[in-house]
Amino acid sequence: MPMEYNHLPAHERIAATVAALAARGITALLVQSKKEALQKINSLIPDGASVMTGASVTLEQIGFVEHLKSGNHPWKNLKAEIVAEKDPAVQKTLRKQATLADVFVGSVHAVTEHGELVIASNTGSQLPAYAHTSDHIIWAVGTHKIVATMDAAMQRLEDYVVPREDEHM
């Protein structure tokens, strides 16, 4: 029987996970709502920053994707430039340059209670930025993505994430 992935963990489990992330050098900021998550992300991005996003249902759900598309912010939207470009060769160059964004905003697919992050990528486009090329990474991550172990994280990928990726292909 597949695990349920939409439950919310107890406060103690969330606090322990936040502490484990901190021990790995990752700052987790807790918010109480989608609206508050959007406000927090907006407050973390400096004026004039170049911003790139990875594909993320979470970013769509909190309204960040639409906000970025709106242009109603003081940032440079690199994804809009890529999408607007019709020349495949220029678009490829813009995609490479986007890995150097000042701020890369995305999500992760699972977080273990030990502070390990699991990221799967259909195209791999966000991985360079996440690993080392962007100056700042912001992940919007629901607490429902907290799992006990790496095995549970991999199971979440198999049961929950991969089937949804297949739907979008």
Side-chain angles (χ1 to χ4, degrees):
M1 171 178 240
M3 293 177 61
E4 174 59 44
Y5 294 108
N6 290 317
H7 71 285
L8 297 178
H11 179 72
E12 295 79 20
R13 187 174 181 204
I14 294 168
T17 303
V18 168
L21 288 166
R24 292 177 181 272
I26 299 168
T27 302
L29 306 172
L30 293 175
V31 297
Q32 299 302 312
S33 68
K34 293 175 184 180
K35 181 180 178 181
E36 195 177 333
L38 178 59
Q39 291 170 340
K40 179 55 72 178
I41 290 171
N42 289 343
S43 75
L44 293 171
I45 303 173
D47 289 358
S50 61
V51 177
M52 183 63 184
T53 61
S56 168
V57 171
T58 304
L59 292 180
E60 290 173 13
Q61 290 175 340
I62 67 170
F64 186 79
V65 172
E66 280 306 312
H67 179 62
L68 188 60
K69 285 180 184 178
S70 77
N72 212 9
H73 51 73
W75 320 311
K76 181 178 180 183
N77 180 352
L78 299 179
K79 185 168 259 182
E81 292 180 16
I82 293 167
V83 171
E85 180 56 56
K86 300 307 175 204
D87 181 329
V90 174
Q91 195 177 59
K92 182 178 180 180
T93 299
L94 290 173
R95 285 187 189 283
K96 287 179 182 179
Q97 292 170 347
T99 65
L100 302 173
D102 297 323
V103 179
F104 203 103
V105 184
S107 192
V108 303
H109 295 98
V111 180
T112 73
E113 292 176 6
H114 304 287
E116 300 159 313
L117 304 172
V118 176
I119 302 163
S121 178
N122 185 31
T123 65
S125 61
Q126 69 271 41
L127 297 178
Y130 286 178
H132 55 78
T133 59
S134 285
D135 290 338
H136 303 282
I137 306 298
I138 299 171
W139 288 309
V141 183
T143 56
H144 64 285
K145 294 180 180 183
I146 296 174
V147 296
T149 65
M150 186 57 76
D151 285 343
M154 298 310 287
Q155 192 66 51
R156 185 178 194 282
L157 280 179
E158 188 175 316
D159 292 347
Y160 188 79
V161 176
V162 171
R164 278 146 191 83
E165 287 285 334
D166 288 345
E167 290 172 5
H168 292 99
M169 294 195 70

